[in-house]
Amino acid sequence: KQEVTQIPAALSVPEGENLVLNCSFTDSAIYNLQWFRQDPGKGLTSLLLIQSSQREQTSGRLNASLDKSSGRSTLYIAASQPGDSATYLCAATPSNTGKLIFGQGTTLQVKP
Amino acid sequence: GAGVSQSPSNKVTEKGKDVELRCDPISGHTALYWYRQSLGQGLEFLIYFQGNSAPDKSGLPSDRFSAERTGGSVSTLTIQRTQQEDSAVYLCASSPGPQQETQYFGPGTRLLVL
């Protein structure tokens, strides 16, 4: 059974700092891994999707990596801004289904 | 274009009542998913529809929960005889196709069972 874990649960950094969010999964048989952002009281916004054959994806100040063999993904945020404050969720898609298995999320606060 | 929409945005009901939650996916998306987000459990998969295939119901927590997708578009999640532990945010998502595609989420329906 696939399990997804995110560390840390919460993170507070000063504006401008680069930071890394961690995600680990127990079963390497995945189609892809996705990173989402959730603002309080809102739905999820997709940030990056990494297919199982890929090693990383980049979008603006965000870079996500995937290492299937070690069961790990990281989300790197460069030059953080107060507007980046939100909960970040990673989710793995097991190979035998389309459903997402989510981690518990990392709540990020970027202080001005 | 229009994203995934859900209605109602909020629903308060009494224990034992039935509720229906609606999801309108992005036009043309063949895959539709329901998830539940609660304080103690995080985000959990409930059910997945892909085209005309039989739905994956493996995440439904009990037989009080059911879902339909009519005409390959709109979906309704029904909870019968609601319990207080059903209180959560119910999120719907759709994607252009199965498995390898990005899922686009709606704003959710916040359900409170008194």
Side-chain angles (χ1 to χ4, degrees):
Chain A
K1 178 185 174 185
Q2 179 72 270
E3 293 183 1
V4 179
T5 304
Q6 290 187 248
I7 296 173
L11 182 62
S12 180
V13 301
E15 181 177 4
E17 194 161 296
N18 302 326
L19 59 101
V20 174
L21 307 181
N22 296 293
C23 174
S24 61
F25 47 96
T26 55
D27 189 342
S28 62
I30 60 171
Y31 274 122
N32 58 47
L33 188 132
Q34 298 184 50
W35 283 92
F36 295 88
R37 168 185 174 140
Q38 186 173 34
D39 293 282
K42 300 293 179 65
L44 277 65
T45 300
S46 178
L47 298 173
L48 290 165
L49 180 149
I50 312 175
Q51 302 289 1
S52 61
S53 59
Q54 297 175 325
R55 298 284 291 185
E56 66 177 341
Q57 283 286 331
T58 298
S59 176
R61 294 183 294 108
L62 305 180
N63 176 277
S65 69
L66 175 64
D67 184 344
K68 279 180 57 179
S69 61
S70 66
R72 297 186 182 197
S73 176
T74 61
L75 179 67
Y76 174 83
I77 302 177
S80 59
Q81 303 171 357
D84 294 332
S85 298
T87 295
Y88 291 81
L89 294 151
C90 73
T93 304
S95 292
N96 59 349
T97 181
K99 65 187 179 188
L100 293 172
I101 308 297
F102 283 89
Q104 294 291 325
T106 294
T107 299
L108 172 66
Q109 181 184 30
V110 181
K111 297 179 178 179
Chain B
V4 177
S5 60
Q6 293 185 245
S7 61
S9 54
N10 291 281
K11 176 72 176 179
V12 181
T13 190
E14 294 178 349
K15 177 182 174 181
K17 301 279 190 181
D18 298 351
V19 295
E20 286 190 351
L21 312 180
R22 177 187 168 106
C23 172
D24 283 89
I26 293 173
S27 178
H29 281 194
T30 63
L32 186 147
Y33 313 79
W34 284 97
Y35 297 88
R36 177 170 73 172
Q37 187 172 32
S38 53
L39 278 177
Q41 301 296 322
L43 254 160
E44 306 171 280
F45 165 79
L46 296 177
I47 187 169
Y48 159 46
F49 297 90
Q50 171 53 45
N52 295 321
S53 302
D56 177 353
K57 304 179 181 180
S58 61
L60 295 178
S62 77
D63 57 8
R64 296 186 295 105
F65 287 73
S66 62
E68 291 185 340
R69 189 178 186 193
T70 54
S73 180
V74 172
S75 177
T76 301
L77 177 69
T78 302
I79 309 173
Q80 296 179 309
R81 305 181 301 282
T82 52
Q83 303 294 313
Q84 289 183 329
E85 60 263 29
D86 299 335
S87 297
V89 177
Y90 289 82
L91 292 163
C92 175
S94 69
S95 66
Q99 295 164 339
Q100 298 188 20
E101 306 274 359
T102 297
Q103 294 187 22
Y104 298 88
F105 280 76
T109 293
R110 194 172 302 271
L111 175 66
L112 178 61
V113 182
L114 300 177

